[in-house]
Amino acid sequence: MTDEPEILFEKRGCAGLVTLNRPKALNALTLNMVRALHPQLIEWANDRDIERVVVRAAGEKAFCAGGDIRQLYDWGRAGDPMALTFYAEEYRLNTYIKRYPKPYVALIDGIDMGGGVGISVHGSHRVAGGRTMFAMPETGIGLFPDVGGTYFLPRLPGKVGTWLALTGARLGQAEVVGTGVATHAVASEMFEALTESLCDPNNLDETLESFSQPPSGTAVPELQPLIDRCFSGETVEEILSRLDSETGAQAEWAAKAAATIRTKSPTSLKIALRQMQVGATADFEDCMRTEFRVVSRVLKGHDFFEGVRAVIIDKDNAPNWRPGSLSDVSDADVDAVFAPLGAGELDLARLDRV
C-alpha cells in the first residue's frame, strides 16, 4: 500500500483543483510538491477547458504552515545543494503564480505561514476562512520573510508590513482582509460549497461575493497610527526606541512588540528591515532575485540552523544568536548579504517551462 500523494490535482468543471495533502504535517511545502505544482500550473495555463485554478488544503488546521524546514535544516547541515535548489524552485513558482495568466483562487483556512503564503498571497483571489492564522515568523528561526515578502509586505497599508516582518505577528480573518492580504472572507464551513461553485462556469467575482461575509475579529486599522509611528524608524534600533517610548493606552502593546522583537535573530531583523526598504520600490522579479541572494548567504551562516534547533528540534526556545546584539550587525554586514551573486543569480527568464 502506497502513501497518499503530497499534492493532488483534478480537473473539475471549469477549474483546475489543487489540494495540498499533508494534513498531519500542516501541509508543509516540500520540494516534491513544488516540482509537481509548477508544471501542472503551466499545463492548465495552456488548457482551454480550464478557466481558473483553485488551491485548497486537506484538514482543518492549516492551509500550509510553511516550507519543510526540517528537511531544509538537514540538507543545509550536510552541505547538500538541495537546500538552495529548493529555494530556487520555490521562488520561481512564487513568481509564476504572481504572473499567472488565469484567475488563481487560494482558499486559505487555518495556519498560513512562510511557504504557504508564497503559494497563496500572490494569487489573484485570496479567500480567508474563519480559522485563518496568517504570519511571517521567519526572523524567529534566523531566516527572513521570503517567498515574495520583499514585495508584498511593503505594499500593505502604512508600516504594517514592517511590523509583521520584524515581530512575526499573527493575523486573523478580519486583519488579513483589512490589510489586503486576503480579498474575501468566507465562513470555514462554507468552503466545500464554495469550492464546488468555483468549479462551475459561473462568474468568478459574483460567486465569491455571494459567499462572502463580514470578517470576524478585530481589524488592524485600530493600531495603524501606532504601527506607522513606531515602525517608520530607519533602523531596528530606532524602531525599538520608539516602541519603548510609547506611553498611554497603547504602551502595553508597544512594550510587548518590543519584547518580541528582542527575541529574534539580530541579523534576521536587520535583513528584514532592509527588505522592506528596498522592496518598496522594486518590481516582483527583482524582489525574488534579492531573496535568493539573501538565502544563499543565510544558508552559509549560523542563525538559521540555531533557530531551527531551538524552535523545531530541541524546542528549548533559547537560541544562541551570533552576533547576539543588534549593535554587532553592521550596515556592511547587511550589504554583503544583499550583494549580487554574479553567475549564481536566480534565473527567472522562462517561468513557463520547468
Side-chain angles (χ1 to χ4, degrees), residues 29-303:
L29 198 64
T30 66
L31 180 57
N32 287 338
M33 293 166 75
V34 171
R35 287 180 167 176
L37 179 56
H38 196 153
Q40 185 63 70
L41 290 176
I42 293 171
E43 179 181 322
W44 283 339
N46 296 303
D47 187 335
R48 293 183 179 180
D49 293 332
I50 298 296
E51 295 181 10
R52 64 197 63 149
V53 168
V54 179
V55 184
R56 63 178 182 173
E60 297 182 350
K61 293 183 179 180
F63 173 78
C64 176
D68 190 343
I69 293 296
R70 181 57 192 263
Q71 179 65 80
L72 291 165
Y73 173 92
D74 290 342
W75 279 334
R77 273 291 187 224
D80 192 323
M82 290 303 292
L84 199 56
T85 295
F86 172 86
Y87 283 106
E89 296 192 25
E90 181 185 30
Y91 293 176
R92 294 184 79 247
L93 172 61
N94 300 151
T95 307
Y96 187 57
I97 291 170
K98 177 67 175 176
R99 303 301 185 212
Y100 202 60
K102 295 181 178 181
Y104 180 106
V105 186
L107 302 181
I108 307 161
D109 204 24
I111 300 167
D112 189 21
M113 295 182 179
V117 174
I119 59 171
S120 58
V121 76
H122 306 308
S124 59
H125 301 74
R126 291 92 58 194
V127 180
R131 292 184 291 257
T132 297
M133 195 272 281
F134 168 96
M136 295 294 283
E138 291 82 1
T139 55
I141 57 167
L143 200 56
F144 62 98
D146 64 337
V147 296
T150 308
Y151 182 87
F152 85 83
L153 286 171
R155 287 164 176 78
L156 298 182
K159 294 297 179 179
V160 165
T162 302
W163 165 54
L164 296 175
L166 297 185
T167 65
R170 300 177 176 187
L171 304 184
Q173 188 185 49
E175 294 163 321
V176 293
V177 173
T179 58
V181 170
T183 56
H184 299 80
V186 172
S188 300
E189 57 269 23
M190 297 301 296
F191 265 43
E192 192 61 40
L194 172 60
T195 300
E196 292 303 318
S197 190
L198 288 170
C199 293
D200 292 334
N202 304 317
N203 180 281
L204 174 59
D205 291 323
E206 289 179 1
T207 297
L208 289 171
E209 285 301 322
S210 71
F211 279 87
S212 295
Q213 63 176 32
S216 61
T218 303
V220 167
E222 296 178 12
L223 292 170
Q224 194 76 55
L226 172 62
I227 290 171
D228 293 349
R229 181 166 64 249
C230 293
F231 286 87
S232 59
E234 291 296 316
T235 65
V236 180
E237 292 91 337
E238 184 180 347
I239 290 170
L240 285 169
S241 177
R242 293 185 183 191
L243 289 168
D244 291 339
S245 299
E246 279 294 318
T247 59
Q250 294 172 323
E252 182 179 357
W253 185 95
K256 288 180 178 179
T260 296
I261 292 171
R262 289 186 168 101
T263 67
K264 312 298 185 183
S265 158
T267 300
S268 293
L269 289 170
K270 292 209 169 181
I271 288 172
L273 184 57
R274 178 72 64 87
Q275 285 179 263
M276 300 304 99
Q277 293 166 343
V278 303
T281 57
D283 66 23
F284 192 87
E285 284 80 0
D286 281 343
C287 288
M288 299 313 298
R289 292 188 187 96
T290 294
E291 291 182 9
F292 190 70
R293 294 170 184 174
V294 175
V295 80
S296 298
R297 276 63 183 246
V298 167
L299 288 175
K300 295 178 181 177
H302 166 271
D303 278 9

